[in-house]
Amino acid sequence: MDKWIRWAGEIRKITMAYKIDTEELEREEMEHVMVAESTERGIVNPEVKLEFHELSRVRVFAEMLRSSEEIEGIEIEVAPDFDLMLHYKGGEQECYQLWLGQPNRPSAITKLERTDVIWKLPEHTTNRLIDILGVNYSPLICFAN
């Protein structure tokens, strides 16, 4: 038993740097997300199809923003797949349009008031968004590696 306790203590020391602060996760600023099927670039469709209020689901969209990387020299010709209305504590709201990529491929977002700037989302973010949105089709956007 004593040997096991020492072993557990050593594992705790090694993994301490990777410890997730659960209180920090509970302090997520985003409160809820509304999703609509996009009808046109630059305009938010008011017909909301999905709403997410649970922290575990809202966190997917917060991580979407944190994992995004601004890209230059790309123009997307097709209409976005989804309109995202992100609601924050304090009543603030941001609207994004999402071009959802295929599984294991990047996606793209643009902020409604900055449609000239496009952010690329990594493959793992695309996969999480596909899961949470319940998508089972292959949208048109595709980035070359």
Side-chain angles (χ1 to χ4, degrees), residues 83-137:
D83 297 333
L84 309 174
M85 285 84 40
L86 312 178
H87 297 266
Y88 296 89
K89 292 176 183 173
E92 292 182 44
Q93 177 181 321
E94 292 180 326
C95 295
Y96 289 85
Q97 292 192 302
L98 168 67
W99 288 263
L100 188 61
Q102 297 177 2
N104 302 311
R105 300 298 250 159
S107 293
I109 58 171
T110 188
K111 195 169 184 180
L112 197 61
E113 51 279 340
R114 291 288 318 270
T115 58
D116 59 317
V117 180
I118 297 173
W119 288 279
K120 179 181 171 182
L121 304 176
E123 294 83 358
H124 71 276
T125 300
T126 297
N127 294 342
R128 294 198 65 205
L129 288 167
I130 287 171
D131 287 343
I132 198 166
L133 295 171
V135 175
N136 59 6
Y137 67 94

Side-chain angles (χ1 to χ4, degrees), residues 13 16 18 23 28 40 45 58 60 69 83 87 89-91 100 103 106 123 130 138 140-141:
K13 285 181 202 174
M16 190 61 91
Y18 303 103
E23 288 181 20
E28 182 65 64
E40 186 177 339
N45 179 358
V58 169
V60 171
E69 175 184 321
D83 297 333
H87 297 266
K89 292 176 183 173
L100 188 61
E123 294 83 358
I130 287 171
S138 299
L140 300 174
I141 189 166

Side-chain angles (χ1 to χ4, degrees), residues 15-105:
T15 60
M16 190 61 91
Y18 303 103
K19 182 181 177 196
I20 297 173
D21 181 357
T22 54
E23 288 181 20
E24 182 179 333
L25 294 176
E26 296 299 324
R27 290 191 302 264
E28 182 65 64
E29 291 298 315
M30 197 179 293
E31 285 189 316
H32 72 276
V33 176
M34 297 187 311
V35 180
E37 290 181 33
S38 193
T39 56
E40 186 177 339
R41 187 170 184 173
I43 298 175
V44 173
N45 179 358
E47 294 181 34
V48 174
K49 297 289 184 186
L50 298 169
E51 287 194 52
F52 301 101
H53 296 275
E54 295 174 23
L55 180 61
S56 63
R57 294 178 177 261
V58 169
R59 191 177 304 129
V60 171
F61 295 93
E63 290 172 2
M64 172 193 75
L65 295 181
R66 289 192 277 267
S67 69
S68 65
E69 175 184 321
E70 186 177 336
I71 53 176
E72 297 178 14
I74 187 168
E75 190 164 318
I76 302 174
E77 298 292 328
V78 297
D81 298 301
F82 297 99
D83 297 333
L84 309 174
M85 285 84 40
L86 312 178
H87 297 266
Y88 296 89
K89 292 176 183 173
E92 292 182 44
Q93 177 181 321
E94 292 180 326
C95 295
Y96 289 85
Q97 292 192 302
L98 168 67
W99 288 263
L100 188 61
Q102 297 177 2
N104 302 311
R105 300 298 250 159

